[in-house]
Amino acid sequence: MPDRLSCDDVDECVSGVHSCGVGERCVNTVGSHVCERQLSCSAGYQSRNGVCEDIDECMVRTHNCGAGLVCKNTDGSFVCGPKQKCLTGFKLDSHGNCIDINECSSLSETCSPGFKCINTVGSYTCQRQVIQCSQGYQSGPDGTRCIDVDECLMGTYRCGTGQICHNLPGSYRCDCGAGYQFDTVRKVCNDVNECWRYPGRLCSQTCDNTPGSYQCSCTAGFALAFDGKNCDDLNECDSNPCSQECANIYGSYQCYCRQGFYLKEDGHTCEDIDECSQSIGNMCAFECVNVPGSYQCACPTTGYTMAANRHTCRDIDECTTGAHNCSGDQRCYNIQGSYRCLSFTCPPNYKKASDTRCEKLGCPGNAPECLKLPLRITYYQLNFQTDILTPAQIFRISPSPAYAGDQVSMAVTRGNEEGYFSTRKLNGFTGAVYLQRQVREAKDFLVDVEMKLLRQGSMTSFVARIHVFITASTL
């Protein structure tokens, strides 16, 4: 160091005296340096902790799948596939496959009395029943159904000594004890599978057979009630499985999102909706700013304030509010989003007749150059936006008062170097100024329009000095 007492580190990376090769990056350290390998990842991958990891375009929503397609991530890319829809008579199972609906078991009264429901693939048919009763049954009084024969009541049973006849649908049994059944061939008592014997009657959901008895259990989303048979719904929402709102439903639950969020594919997480990028049309007049769960409209930092509807921007009249920097001899003129400081001064040989009008004084000695000057110079201000349809009539000029025989001619004598303006004679004593073509960006013009009046053989000229302010039409 210059004090010749202290030492400072040399940045080898800046001075170019490092030893790093092609594909390596120099990193300065105190008293030395290290070379790190530069990692370049292919499209569809991103660098993280020194390795290239796949980008899940479906999760980060950078895919271009349409509304009727589902995004599926692949290594380095993604594919768009159709959403699974089932035809009539089919339903989606838990694996997303279409399976047949058994209308005979899921619908009530599918067929008329005397007809039998037969399930088919995607539908069902009704066939007339033929009364042919199995063993242990006999035709009922109405001849349309089979009824059980009570062997115990009729005395046609064959039970051993001390055994009790117990009638069963289509048969009978000789009881041994509770939960068991006597085997007439082997002369033993076999366990009764109550779950098979009485399907759907013992337990509200799942029945598991046990020696001499049975046990009830419940499926996911339910808990066994105190009676040991019925199942009570579990309130899964008590464990807060959803990121926002949870609604308990019978045997399950459903996650919901608050306004301004949507439920992701995992069914649990709520993601903010970017209303600004997904909106159809213009929600905001100037700028849309996305916020969690909603959006806000913003206006330009100067010249505008937010309107009461919170969507459009309202022009600030700086001339009325006094928020301008015009001097005392200038006049403030408000335009869309800003203002202008205008000076109305009269040229030599003119006097100020009002704030916007200059009158010519007399010409000494009737000097020819003085006589050619306009009799009056009047200032005007016009304000238009860039989206005005052209050609557009923006100004009219005529003598006041007008007399029969008056003839006028008009010309733009200053400020039309780019050819935006033109004049047109409407009748013998009236002319008009036109904006001939569109002004595509904000621009100020100072245009002199001269009107020459021929009245009773004498020619007089007048000048309309027009400030034309073209402002942006984005608001």
Side-chain angles (χ1 to χ4, degrees):
M1 294 296 290
D3 60 2
R4 307 195 63 81
L5 296 175
S6 57
C7 295
D8 195 9
D9 173 53
V10 176
D11 190 340
E12 295 86 352
C13 300
V14 175
S15 61
V17 296
H18 58 81
S19 59
C20 298
V22 179
E24 294 182 323
R25 182 170 64 92
C26 176
V27 179
N28 184 60
T29 62
V30 178
S32 183
H33 69 281
V34 294
C35 298
E36 293 181 352
R37 183 171 65 91
Q38 292 182 338
L39 183 63
S40 177
C41 297
S42 304
Y45 294 85
Q46 63 183 356
S47 174
R48 181 174 292 176
N49 297 328
V51 296
C52 291
E53 291 184 354
D54 173 56
I55 299 173
D56 190 341
E57 294 85 356
C58 302
M59 180 172 290
V60 300
R61 303 186 67 80
T62 58
H63 61 85
N64 58 357
C65 297
L69 300 176
V70 177
C71 175
K72 183 178 181 181
N73 187 59
T74 61
D75 286 339
S77 186
F78 64 93
V79 293
C80 300
K83 293 182 178 178
Q84 178 71 304
K85 291 184 178 180
C86 295
L87 300 175
T88 303
F90 295 87
K91 65 180 180 179
L92 282 175
D93 62 8
S94 59
H95 301 289
N97 301 318
C98 291
I99 60 174
D100 176 53
I101 298 174
N102 189 342
E103 293 84 357
C104 298
S105 61
S106 62
L107 300 177
S108 61
E109 300 181 358
T110 53
C111 299
S112 303
F115 288 82
K116 180 174 64 174
C117 176
I118 299 177
N119 186 59
T120 61
V121 178
S123 185
Y124 67 93
T125 60
C126 296
Q127 290 185 358
R128 182 177 294 278
Q129 294 179 345
V130 178
I131 301 301
Q132 185 175 357
C133 299
S134 304
Q135 183 179 358
Y137 292 88
Q138 62 184 8
S139 178
D142 58 0
T144 61
R145 59 191 181 95
C146 292
I147 60 174
D148 175 54
V149 176
D150 191 342
E151 295 86 355
C152 299
L153 181 63
M154 296 177 64
T156 58
Y157 64 91
R158 296 173 61 184
C159 290
T161 303
Q163 294 181 341
I164 301 172
C165 176
H166 183 78
N167 187 59
L168 297 173
S171 183
Y172 68 94
R173 76 167 182 259
C174 298
D175 285 338
C176 292
Y180 290 89
Q181 183 180 21
F182 182 73
D183 187 340
T184 58
V185 176
R186 298 172 59 195
K187 304 300 181 182
V188 294
C189 290
N190 295 326
D191 174 53
V192 176
N193 191 330
E194 296 87 354
C195 300
W196 291 355
R197 179 78 64 177
Y198 311 108
R201 294 170 57 186
L202 302 176
C203 303
S204 63
Q205 289 190 358
T206 304
C207 179
D208 302 312
N209 187 60
T210 61
S213 185
Y214 63 93
Q215 182 176 309
C216 297
S217 61
C218 301
T219 57
F222 294 90
L224 194 63
F226 289 111
D227 61 7
K229 296 182 179 181
N230 294 306
C231 294
D232 294 334
D233 176 51
L234 282 176
N235 190 350
E236 295 86 351
C237 296
D238 290 339
S239 59
N240 298 319
C242 305
S243 65
Q244 287 190 358
E245 303 296 335
C246 178
N248 185 60
I249 58 178
Y250 190 69
S252 185
Y253 66 96
Q254 177 67 52
C255 293
Y256 294 94
C257 297
R258 303 185 190 101
Q259 184 176 1
F261 295 85
Y262 71 94
L263 191 65
K264 295 182 68 175
E265 294 179 358
D266 61 7
H268 297 81
T269 309
C270 292
E271 188 78 9
D272 175 50
I273 297 174
D274 188 347
E275 296 86 353
C276 299
S277 62
Q278 298 182 10
S279 65
I280 300 176
N282 295 324
M283 297 186 301
C284 299
F286 178 70
E287 181 183 8
C288 179
V289 180
N290 186 61
V291 296
S294 184
Y295 69 95
Q296 294 177 351
C297 295
C299 294
T301 56
T302 60
Y304 292 91
T305 183
M306 183 64 66
N309 59 16
R310 311 304 299 172
H311 294 280
T312 58
C313 297
R314 181 169 55 84
D315 173 56
I316 296 175
D317 189 343
E318 294 86 353
C319 300
T320 302
T321 62
H324 60 83
N325 58 359
C326 298
S327 61
D329 57 350
Q330 291 179 320
R331 179 182 172 188
C332 178
Y333 180 74
N334 185 65
I335 63 173
Q336 193 75 14
S338 186
Y339 65 94
R340 295 290 184 269
C341 296
L342 304 179
S343 297
F344 300 105
T345 58
C346 295
N349 207 42
Y350 284 85
K351 68 175 180 178
K352 196 170 186 179
S354 68
D355 289 341
T356 59
R357 190 173 73 251
C358 297
E359 300 283 354
K360 186 174 70 171
L361 300 172
C363 293
N366 291 329
E369 293 300 324
C370 178
L371 294 175
K372 293 179 181 179
L373 294 176
L375 183 65
R376 183 183 303 121
I377 301 174
T378 308
Y379 289 87
Y380 298 92
Q381 297 83 44
L382 302 177
N383 194 3
F384 302 100
Q385 293 186 341
T386 54
D387 59 354
I388 184 174
L389 296 177
T390 57
Q393 185 185 117
I394 63 172
F395 187 76
R396 283 191 178 191
I397 188 171
S398 63
S400 179
Y403 298 97
D406 285 352
Q407 291 293 325
V408 298
S409 61
M410 294 177 56
V412 180
T413 59
R414 190 178 74 163
N416 195 27
E417 291 78 7
E418 299 178 67
Y420 282 107
F421 304 94
S422 65
T423 59
R424 190 179 305 172
K425 189 174 179 181
L426 302 181
N427 51 48
F429 51 84
T430 304
V433 179
Y434 286 81
L435 182 62
Q436 194 64 29
R437 57 192 178 93
Q438 188 177 15
V439 183
R440 301 190 180 278
E441 59 183 13
K443 195 176 181 67
D444 295 350
F445 298 91
L446 180 58
V447 179
D448 278 3
V449 178
E450 183 180 29
M451 180 188 71
K452 292 184 177 181
L453 171 64
L454 180 61
R455 176 178 289 173
Q456 296 180 355
S458 176
M459 181 70 71
T460 309
S461 66
F462 303 86
V463 168
R465 187 157 292 170
I466 309 171
H467 287 275
V468 182
F469 302 105
I470 307 294
T471 58
S473 59
T474 56
L475 298 181

